[in-house]
């Protein structure tokens, strides 16, 4: 039996990704201040240019880390090839992701945690996005960030951890590392919950592509809807969304679980 690979290189790569992201973030902020000299330093992180620059820095750092840590690897080793997902199953995965994201967002509003932290800074920055700026924001926050995070956390980290750990443990550890990347406590908790779902559907499909599709679609819709309509406020509205999204998410999880081919009995 072939010896299972060690997992310590995965955590070394994770720490390395943090270092690269920090270095690129300093460069990104310096660039934004050079391009917008009239922008007060205290408001750089609240500006659309500042948020997009930081997202580009983070995404670039994750992609560079994968290239350095797994140089020469195939798309198959990163599970970036189609797996067991079908058209209907992929659609349900996406609906489940959107329902879970809105459920968590509405819950934070109901308990009074929707205003502080990183998320409110992102919402304020997106309120400035119109026309070409909104298109750029969707590309950066939706497509680039969603793809880069899934390539690193599900394609690289969860896959490598799964070579040594049980699938459930790999999903939890990768989800926790995904949460820590988001730094802010509330944002991290929400990211952990979403990371568990994305990790689960990755194992379900045997591919990271469905998780990437879910992440990109969710981020893109969040960016567009926040820019166009702002935050959904009001107790009754969010309470209703919690109820509806909770039911939809539960139905999606149950359906996906029942359609899991790994549950099928082995023919005798």
């Amino acid at each position: 039996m072939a010896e299972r690979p060690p997992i310590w290189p995965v955590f070394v790569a994770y720490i390395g990704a943090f270092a690269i992201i920090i270095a690129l973030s300093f460069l990104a902020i310096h660039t934004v201040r050079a391009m917008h000299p009239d922008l007060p330093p205290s408001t750089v992180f609240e500006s659309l240019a500042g948020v997009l620059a930081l997202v580009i820095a983070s995404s670039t750092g994750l992609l560079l880390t994968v290239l350095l840590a797994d140089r020469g690897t195939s798309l198959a080793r990163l599970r970036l090839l189609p797996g067991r997902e079908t058209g209907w199953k992929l659609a349900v995965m996406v609906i489940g992701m959107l329902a879970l994201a809105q459920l968590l967002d509405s819950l934070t509003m109901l308990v009074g945690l929707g205003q502080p932290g990183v998320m409110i800074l992102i919402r304020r920055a997106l309120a400035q996005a119109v026309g070409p700026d909104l298109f750029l924001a969707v590309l950066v926050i939706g497509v680039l960030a969603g793809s880069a995070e899934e390539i690193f956390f599900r394609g690289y980290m969860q896959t490598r951890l799964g070579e040594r750990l049980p699938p459930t443990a790999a999903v939890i550890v990768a989800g926790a590392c995904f949460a820590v990347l988001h730094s802010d406590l509330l944002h991290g908790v929400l990211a952990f919950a979403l990371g568990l779902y994305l990790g689960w559907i990755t194992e379900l499909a045997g591919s990271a592509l469905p998780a990437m599709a879910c992440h990109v679609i969710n981020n893109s819709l969040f960016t567009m809807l926040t820019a166009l309509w702002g935050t959904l406020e009001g107790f009754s509205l969010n309470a209703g969304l919690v109820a509806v999204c909770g039911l939809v998410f539960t139905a999606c999880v149950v359906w996906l679980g029942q359609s899991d081919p790994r549950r099928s009995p082995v023919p005798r």
Side-chain angles (χ1 to χ4, degrees), residues 4 12 14 21 50 58 61 69 98 107 111 134-135 138 165 179 194 206 218 228 247 258:
R4 291 182 296 178
V12 171
Y14 181 60
I21 289 171
S58 175
L98 297 177
L107 278 175
V111 299
L134 176 56
F135 178 72
V138 171
L165 303 175
L194 293 172
N218 179 72
L228 296 173
L247 289 173
Q258 291 178 342

Side-chain angles (χ1 to χ4, degrees), residues 160-186:
R160 294 296 166 272
L161 291 173
E163 294 173 352
R164 182 72 180 182
L165 303 175
T168 300
V171 169
I172 293 173
V173 174
C177 291
F178 177 59
V180 171
L181 179 75
H182 291 77
S183 64
D184 178 76
L185 179 59
L186 175 61

Side-chain angles (χ1 to χ4, degrees), residues 7 13 55 144 206 216 233 235 246 252:
I7 62 174
V55 172
L144 177 61
V216 167
E233 299 181 352
F235 181 86
C252 290

Side-chain angles (χ1 to χ4, degrees), residues 207-229:
S207 168
L209 292 182
M212 187 184 300
C214 289
H215 202 150
V216 167
I217 292 172
N218 179 72
N219 280 18
S220 298
L221 285 176
F222 167 81
T223 301
M224 289 188 291
L225 295 178
T226 301
L228 296 173
W229 289 295

